[in-house]
C-alpha cells in the first residue's frame, strides 16, 4: 500500500506579486527542471486568455519533490469572480501559502481566497516576496497580514503563522530579515522546509474504503473526460470497479477507473496505485462531474457535494439577429449556443443557465462581470456568434425586503485625482470605509458599494485617474436595496440606414461625439456608431456619400479631420450599454446596437415602458 510522504498546498497571490516566478523557482530548485531547460515565464498561466491578461482564471496543479516528500502545488485564481475555481482548489489541500509583495502589502483580491482558506481551517504560511526591491517594507507587510487574518476571523493557531522572506526572481528565501540590498538566504530551501514543517501530512487510512472527491475536470480526445481530485482514504489502482456518488443522498452510478495518473512537475505520469493525500487524475468514467465521490462499491462512503457561493450577476445571451448575422461565426443558432452553455456547466460550477420565455434568449448567471466576459471571450474564439444584454445584479428577498449584493472596492490613486474619484463613487451610493496615504503622493480608498454601482464604472475610473489608478473589488454581503443609481451620462449616435460608412460621413459626424466605427466598416439601421456629446440619443445618416458634380471648386478643399475611433472591446461594450441596448459579438467583431433596430419600434417600446 502507498506510504508516500505527501504535502498538498495552494498558492494565493494578487496579480503581479510574483506567484508564477516563485513556482518556476520551486520547479527548478527541486530538480524538476534541469538548468539548461527553458521554462516559460508563465508556467502556470497556460490558457491563452491568462497569458494575455496576466491573471489566473483556472485552478491548476503541478508537483515537486523535496527531501523525499511529494509536494502538490495548486494554483488558485485571485479574483473573486472565479470563486468557483477557488472553492474547488482549496478542497484538495491541507495548507496555503499566501504570497504578498513587500511594497504593496495585502491586496483585496487575496482577501477573498484567504477568507475561504481560513474558514476551512487551513493554516497559512506568509511569504513576503520581492524584499530586495526599493521601497520594500517587510515589517509593515507582516503586520498588515496579521490584521487582515484577524479581521477575517482567524483562530489563534492560524494567527501564529510562519513568515518566509523571499526574492522569487533571484531564487532565494530566508526565515530572518537581512540587510537591504543583500541576499538573505542561499536558495529556496527555507520555503521548502517551512512547507514540510507546517503543512500537515495526510492522515487517511490506506486500508479504509476508497474515498476520492472530484474537484476539477479535464478532457482528452484519446480517453475522454478526466476527473481530478484528492484521495481522502483508501487506495486506488487502475482497472478498479467503483461507485460514482453525488453526495450521501444523490444518484449513484457504477463505473470503472481506467488509468490513474499523478502530477510530477508539470507532467502527468501513470501510477500503479495511489493512496491517501495524493492528487490524482482518473479516466474511463463518462458521467464523472464536479463534487462527486469515487468510492468502494462494497462499502460506499460518499462525501458531501462541494458548496459554491451563489451568483451575483446575470446577463441574457441571445441569438444574433442583426443584418450582419452569420457572416463571421460558425455557430450561430440558439441550439448551438445552448449546447455550449451546457458544456460549460460541467466544469464551471459557479455558473447558472436558464431558458427564458423568449425564443433564443438564455439567462446566464455568474459571480461577476469578469466571470461572464471571460466565458464570452472563450466562446467567440471558438467561433460562436451572439448578442448579450447589459449585466444585472441578482436580487434576493430577505424577510419580505429586497436585498442586493454589496462589493468591497479598493482604489489606489494619485492624490490629485482623489476628489473626482470620491465624487463618482459617492454618486453611485458608495460608502467610504477607509482612506490611507502612502506618503509618496498616492492614496488608497476603501469603499462599500452596491454591485449595481460598479457596472460601467471601470472606464470612468480610468478616465478620472488618467490611466494611473488601480481598482479591484470583491463581494462582501447582501444588504437592503440602496435606491436608484444614475446611469450613463451620454446618449448614443444611431445609424438610420444599412450600408458602409465613409470618411466623408465621419468628418460630418466628428463634432457630434466620439465614434466606434472607422471608414469602410459595415453599419446597419439601429447600430450604435458612436457616443453623443449630449445626454440624448441621436439618429444620424452614417452612409451618405459626397455629392459629385461637374463643377470645380475654386481654391483648395479642406482636408477632412477625424478623431480616432474608440477601441471597442468586449469588456468596454458590456460596461457601456444600457438596458435597451445589446453587444453583438462575433469571432472577428464587437458591435453595439439597439435592442429594437427600427426607430418606430424603439418609440413604441419607450411608450409602453412609460405606460
Amino acid at each position: 500500500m502507498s506510504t508516500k510522504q505527501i504535502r498538498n498546498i495552494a498558492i494565493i497571490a494578487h496579480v503581479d506579486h510574483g506567484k508564477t516566478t516563485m513556482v518556476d523557482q520551486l520547479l527548478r530548485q527541486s530538480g524538476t527542471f534541469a538548468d539548461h531547460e527553458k521554462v516559460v515565464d508563465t508556467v502556470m498561466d497556460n490558457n491563452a486568455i491568462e497569458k494575455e491578461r496576466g491573471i489566473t482564471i483556472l485552478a491548476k496543479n503541478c508537483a515537486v519533490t523535496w527531501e523525499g516528500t511529494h509536494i502538490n502545488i495548486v494554483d488558485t485564481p485571485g479574483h473573486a469572480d472565479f470563486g468557483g475555481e477557488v472553492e474547488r482548489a482549496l478542497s484538495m489541500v491541507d495548507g496555503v501559502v499566501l504570497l504578498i509583495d513587500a511594497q504593496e502589502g495585502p491586496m483585496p483580491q487575496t482577501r477573498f481566497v484567504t477568507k475561504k482558506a481560513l474558514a476551512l481551517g487551513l493554516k497559512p504560511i506568509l511569504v513576503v516576496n520581492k524584499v530586495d526591491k526599493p521601497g520594500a517594507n517587510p515589517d509593515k507587510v507582516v503586520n498588515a497580514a496579521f490584521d487582515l487574518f484577524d479581521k477575517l476571523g482567524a483562530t489563534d493557531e492560524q494567527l501564529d503563522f510562519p513568515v518566509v522572506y523571499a526574492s522569487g526572481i533571484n531564487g532565494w528565501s530566508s526565515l530572518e530579515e537581512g540587510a537591504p540590498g543583500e541576499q538573505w538566504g542561499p536558495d529556496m530551501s527555507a520555503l521548502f522546509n517551512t512547507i514540510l514543517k507546517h503543512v500537515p501530512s495526510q492522515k487517511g487510512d490506506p486500508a479504509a474504503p476508497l474515498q476520492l472527491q472530484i474537484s476539477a475536470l479535464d478532457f482528452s480526445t484519446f480517453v475522454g473526460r478526466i476527473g481530478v481530485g484528492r484521495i481522502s482514504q483508501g487506495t486506488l489502482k487502475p482497472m478498479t470497479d467503483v461507485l460514482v456518488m453525488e453526495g450521501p443522498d444523490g444518484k449513484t452510478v457504477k463505473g470503472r477507473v481506467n488509468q490513474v495518473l499523478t502530477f510530477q512537475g508539470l507532467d502527468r505520469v501513470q501510477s500503479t496505485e495511489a493512496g491517501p493525500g495524493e492528487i490524482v487524475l482518473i479516466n474511463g468514467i463518462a458521467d464523472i462531474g464536479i463534487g462527486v465521490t469515487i468510492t468502494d462499491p462494497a462499502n460506499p462512503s460518499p462525501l458531501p457535494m462541494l458548496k459554491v457561493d451563489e451568483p451575483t450577476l446575470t446577463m441574457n445571451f441571445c441569438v444574433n439577429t442583426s443584418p450582419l448575422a452569420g457572416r463571421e461565426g460558425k455557430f450561430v443558432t440558439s441550439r448551438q449556443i445552448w449546447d455550449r452553455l451546457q458544456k460549460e456547466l460541467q466544469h464551471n460550477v459557479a455558473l447558472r443557465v436558464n431558458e427564458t420565455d423568449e425564443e433564443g434568449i438564455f439567462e446566464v448567471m455568474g459571480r461577476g462581470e469578469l466571470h461572464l466576459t471571460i466565458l464570452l471571450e472563450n466562446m467567440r474564439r471558438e467561433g460562436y456568434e451572439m448578442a448579450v444584454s447589459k449585466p444585472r445584479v441578482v436580487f434576493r428577498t430577505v424577510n419580505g425586503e429586497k436585498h442586493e449584493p454589496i462589493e468591497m472596492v479598493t482604489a489606489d490613486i494619485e492624490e490629485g485625482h482623489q476628489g473626482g474619484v470620491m465624487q463618482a463613487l459617492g454618486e453611485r451610493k458608495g460608502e467610504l470605509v477607509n482612506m490611507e496615504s502612502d506618503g509618496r503622493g498616492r492614496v488608497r480608498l476603501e469603499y462599500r458599494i452596491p454591485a449595481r454601482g460598479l457596472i460601467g464604472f471601470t472606464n470612468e475610473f480610468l478616465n478620472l485617474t488618467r490611466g494611473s489608478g488601480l481598482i479591484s473589488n470583491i463581494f462582501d454581503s447582501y444588504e437592503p436595496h440602496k435606491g436608484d443609481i444614475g446611469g450613463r451620462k451620454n446618449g448614443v449616435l444611431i445609424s438610420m440606414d444599412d450600408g458602409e460608412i465613409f470618411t466623408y460621413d465621419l468628418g460630418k459626424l466628428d463634432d457630434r461625439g466620439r465614434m466606434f466605427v472607422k471608414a469602410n466598416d459595415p453599419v446597419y439601421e439601429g447600430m450604435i456608431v458612436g457616443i453623443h456629446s449630449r445626454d440624448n440619443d441621436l439618429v444620424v445618416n452614417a452612409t451618405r456619400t459626397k455629392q459629385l458634380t461637374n463643377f470645380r471648386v475654386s481654391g483648395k478643399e479642406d482636408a477632412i479631420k477625424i478623431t480616432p475611433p474608440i477601441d471597442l472591446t468586449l469588456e468596454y461594450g458590456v460596461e457601456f450599454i444600457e438596458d435597451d441596448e445589446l453587444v453583438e459579438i462575433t469571432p472577428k467583431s464587437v458591435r453595439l446596437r439597439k435592442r429594437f433596430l427600427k426607430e418606430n419600434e424603439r418609440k413604441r417600446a419607450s411608450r409602453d415602458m412609460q405606460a
Side-chain angles (χ1 to χ4, degrees), residues 502-608:
F502 295 99
T503 306
Y504 178 74
D505 305 302
L506 294 172
K508 293 291 183 186
L509 296 172
D510 202 53
D511 60 345
R512 295 287 189 179
R514 289 289 304 277
M515 305 301 287
F516 290 132
V517 291
K518 59 184 184 297
N520 302 322
D521 279 354
V523 297
Y524 53 82
E525 183 180 0
M527 179 174 159
I528 297 170
V529 294
I531 307 175
H532 194 195
S533 54
R534 300 186 180 181
D535 60 1
N536 63 305
D537 291 350
L538 183 67
V539 179
V540 297
N541 185 353
T543 58
R544 66 182 163 183
T545 55
K546 184 179 179 182
Q547 284 298 119
L548 300 177
T549 69
N550 59 353
F551 288 96
R552 291 196 176 191
V553 180
S554 60
K556 189 180 178 184
E557 288 190 71
D558 292 332
I560 298 173
K561 293 177 182 175
I562 303 168
T563 307
I566 294 169
D567 183 22
L568 190 55
T569 62
L570 175 56
E571 286 81 6
Y572 182 97
V574 167
E575 286 197 345
F576 178 80
I577 58 173
E578 286 295 337
D579 292 329
D580 65 334
E581 297 163 358
L582 299 171
V583 182
E584 179 187 345
I585 301 163
T586 75
K588 296 179 182 175
S589 311
V590 176
R591 304 183 186 96
L592 306 184
R593 53 164 284 190
K594 286 292 182 180
R595 188 182 296 274
F596 298 103
L597 297 178
K598 306 282 184 189
E599 189 174 5
N600 62 327
E601 291 176 353
R602 292 197 292 274
K603 287 179 178 175
R604 191 184 310 129
S606 178
R607 283 197 302 269
D608 291 345

Side-chain angles (χ1 to χ4, degrees), residues 60-321:
K60 291 175 287 294
N61 303 60
C62 69
V64 299
T65 301
W66 182 259
E67 295 183 354
T69 300
H70 188 77
I71 303 172
N72 284 304
I73 301 171
V74 181
D75 188 18
T76 64
H79 202 288
D81 279 18
F82 308 113
E85 294 283 333
V86 169
E87 283 138 353
R88 286 156 39 192
L90 293 178
S91 71
M92 292 192 282
V93 300
D94 302 301
V96 292
V97 172
L98 176 59
L99 194 71
I100 298 180
D101 187 292
Q103 184 177 344
E104 295 183 7
M107 297 294 277
Q109 300 298 26
T110 57
R111 179 192 182 108
F112 171 78
V113 194
T114 308
K115 185 177 181 179
K116 293 279 181 191
L118 293 174
L120 290 168
L122 301 175
K123 189 173 178 183
I125 295 170
L126 180 66
V127 177
V128 183
N129 194 27
K130 304 186 183 181
V131 291
D132 54 345
K133 79 175 186 179
N137 192 339
D139 290 340
K140 183 181 176 183
V141 168
V142 173
N143 291 333
F146 183 90
D147 293 341
L148 173 64
F149 292 163
D150 192 35
K151 278 182 193 171
L152 298 178
T155 62
D156 290 343
E157 188 185 0
Q158 287 171 327
L159 287 172
D160 186 23
F161 55 86
V163 179
V164 180
Y165 304 99
S167 171
I169 197 162
N170 293 314
W172 56 259
S173 61
S174 169
L175 297 178
E176 295 180 3
E177 288 188 64
E182 292 183 7
Q183 185 168 321
W184 299 0
D187 51 26
M188 300 302 290
S189 56
L191 177 55
F192 276 122
N193 294 332
T194 304
I195 291 169
L196 297 189
K197 182 178 177 182
H198 291 278
V199 177
S201 58
Q202 178 64 28
K203 300 291 192 295
D205 180 4
L210 177 65
Q211 199 176 54
L212 160 64
Q213 186 161 42
I214 299 301
S215 301
L217 293 177
D218 203 345
F219 185 81
S220 162
T221 51
F222 296 104
V223 296
R225 196 178 294 184
I226 299 168
V228 185
R230 182 181 65 168
I231 299 173
S232 301
Q233 63 179 39
T235 304
L236 180 62
K237 296 181 181 180
M239 307 310 293
T240 303
D241 291 325
V242 294
L243 276 184
V244 182
M245 302 185 72
E246 293 182 0
D249 307 314
K251 81 175 180 185
T252 303
V253 180
K254 288 183 179 179
R256 171 173 279 202
V257 174
N258 185 8
Q259 293 174 316
V260 178
L261 299 95
T262 55
F263 290 97
Q264 187 58 53
L266 298 173
D267 298 326
R268 301 167 178 187
V269 294
Q270 288 198 39
S271 180
T272 53
E273 69 169 23
E278 292 204 59
I279 295 177
V280 297
L281 304 99
I282 62 169
N283 57 55
I285 302 172
D287 298 329
I288 203 165
I290 298 286
V292 300
T293 306
I294 309 298
T295 187
D296 188 349
N299 194 356
S301 51
L303 291 163
M305 293 290 282
L306 291 174
K307 287 184 179 175
V308 175
D309 288 349
E310 289 300 307
T312 58
L313 211 63
T314 178
M315 290 170 76
N316 286 348
F317 285 34
C318 330
V319 172
N320 186 15
T321 56

